[in-house]
Amino acid sequence: MAKLKDKRREKISVATEIDRLEERRSRCQDNLERAEFRSRKEKLTEKERQELEDEMAIMNERVQKLNKELDTLRGENRKNMLLSIALLAISAFFYYIFFYNEEDP
């Protein structure tokens, strides 16, 4: 099953993966904010408070993990952009050399 997910992700562009991770991070942050609000406003038993704090710790870890993945993907996206710009510049340079720099008799 894990290999199937990896194969599907290989076909997804970096930008699409960034968007997907940002959406997941946003949902995790929303859930974390709701849990924090609940811990401040509701009267909870000690057990409920501890469970809520454990849940918040797990959500914080998820958000941090997603942030690391996003940083990695954004770095990869920058490399891809720079490579594209370099290829465009080289193509433009050769186009100029072969079509505009010909000696006219």
Side-chain angles (χ1 to χ4, degrees):
M1 182 77 178
K3 289 183 179 181
L4 182 62
K5 277 188 175 182
D6 291 339
K7 285 183 181 179
R8 273 190 272 153
R9 282 190 180 167
E10 286 177 3
K11 296 178 184 178
I12 297 175
S13 71
V14 175
T16 304
E17 187 70 12
I18 289 172
D19 290 341
R20 188 183 68 79
L21 288 177
E22 283 178 342
E23 185 177 321
R24 283 182 60 197
R25 183 185 65 177
S26 175
R27 284 191 306 240
C28 282
Q29 286 176 333
D30 289 344
N31 290 339
L32 183 61
E33 288 173 7
R34 275 191 230 111
E36 288 174 348
F37 179 79
R38 183 175 169 221
S39 71
R40 286 191 314 261
K41 297 296 179 180
E42 292 182 13
K43 295 196 182 228
L44 302 172
T45 65
E46 194 59 37
K47 183 180 177 184
E48 290 174 332
R49 186 169 302 283
Q50 184 62 40
E51 288 174 357
L52 191 59
E53 287 176 4
D54 291 343
E55 184 181 332
M56 288 169 52
I58 290 170
M59 284 189 274
N60 272 325
E61 289 174 14
R62 283 183 188 161
V63 168
Q64 289 173 356
K65 182 181 174 187
L66 288 170
N67 283 336
K68 286 179 184 178
E69 287 182 47
L70 279 168
D71 289 342
T72 303
L73 285 172
R74 286 181 178 137
E76 188 176 325
N77 200 29
R78 274 187 223 101
K79 288 178 191 175
N80 289 342
M81 180 191 64
L82 290 174
L83 180 62
S84 297
I85 290 171
L87 288 173
L88 178 66
I90 290 169
S91 299
F93 177 71
F94 282 119
Y95 181 81
Y96 175 77
I97 287 175
F98 288 118
F99 292 109
Y100 287 108
N101 205 16
E102 294 179 354
E103 296 289 328
D104 287 329

